[in-house]
Amino acid sequence: NFRSEPGIIGMVNASFPSVMAPSDPDKGHEDYEARFERLDSRKATEGVTPRFVYLELPYRGRSGDGERAAGPDARLALRDPAECEAWEVARIVRDAVASGSLLVADRGAGRARPARFSDFAVLLRSTGKQVHFEKYLRLFGVPYSSENACGLFSEAAACALYYALRLALY
């Protein structure tokens, strides 16, 4: 897309043909299978270097017999993977803005500038983990807004009430 630097588009073009290959190479793609189409990119922004961050969730800390892990990583076993993910994303955003280390393209000026909080978006597949992200964004002092507030209501009854009120409003 127009927001992505050419380095990101290059990585997608290099890796996605194998990721989106047909399940049966002899028959080709099934009608329901997505097909990869090579992406075009815009001109690179001078001073911006694309980077990828690999996040790995901590080992849950249980052996095959159900015993908890011991040693220095035992405390990580107590945390929910969704909380670990949310904590790390919030930390990355806060640190990138605070340090000015992440440069992004300023389309209006045609050059790189340090990232602002408004340059970040966290896209979630569902609202199930939203409450964790909101918790850690608040904890790290990262301003945010949410498109869907249902993640705040993790109980089914509260979520149903939210949608009933929303229905009455609209």
Side-chain angles (χ1 to χ4, degrees), residues 50-128:
R51 69 178 182 183
F52 294 90
V53 177
Y54 173 77
L55 302 178
E56 185 172 339
L57 294 175
Y59 171 64
R60 286 298 292 182
R62 293 207 181 267
S63 63
D65 58 7
E67 291 294 316
R68 281 218 174 263
D73 292 333
R75 61 184 164 70
L76 292 176
L78 301 175
R79 290 181 172 60
D80 179 58
E83 284 206 56
C84 293
E85 180 183 27
W87 183 89
E88 189 63 15
V89 167
R91 185 196 63 76
I92 287 169
V93 171
R94 182 211 52 201
D95 291 354
V97 173
S99 69
S101 62
L102 178 65
L103 299 179
V104 298
D106 185 331
R107 289 188 4 220
R111 62 178 184 275
R113 64 164 171 76
R116 302 176 191 133
F117 289 125
S118 60
D119 292 315
F120 291 89
V122 178
L123 306 176
L124 302 173
R125 186 172 57 184
S126 69
T127 59

Side-chain angles (χ1 to χ4, degrees), residues 8-90:
I8 303 283
I9 300 298
M11 186 278 305
V12 170
N13 283 337
S15 58
F16 271 57
S18 61
V19 171
M20 297 178 72
S23 54
D24 183 352
D26 295 331
K27 286 176 47 182
H29 283 91
E30 297 287 343
D31 290 340
Y32 58 85
E33 289 182 312
R35 291 163 177 76
F36 176 73
E37 293 182 23
R38 217 171 148 68
L39 305 173
D40 293 326
S41 63
R42 62 174 170 73
K43 184 177 154 240
T45 305
E46 190 174 329
V48 173
T49 303
R51 69 178 182 183
F52 294 90
V53 177
Y54 173 77
L55 302 178
E56 185 172 339
L57 294 175
Y59 171 64
R60 286 298 292 182
R62 293 207 181 267
S63 63
D65 58 7
E67 291 294 316
R68 281 218 174 263
D73 292 333
R75 61 184 164 70
L76 292 176
L78 301 175
R79 290 181 172 60
D80 179 58
E83 284 206 56
C84 293
E85 180 183 27
W87 183 89
E88 189 63 15
V89 167

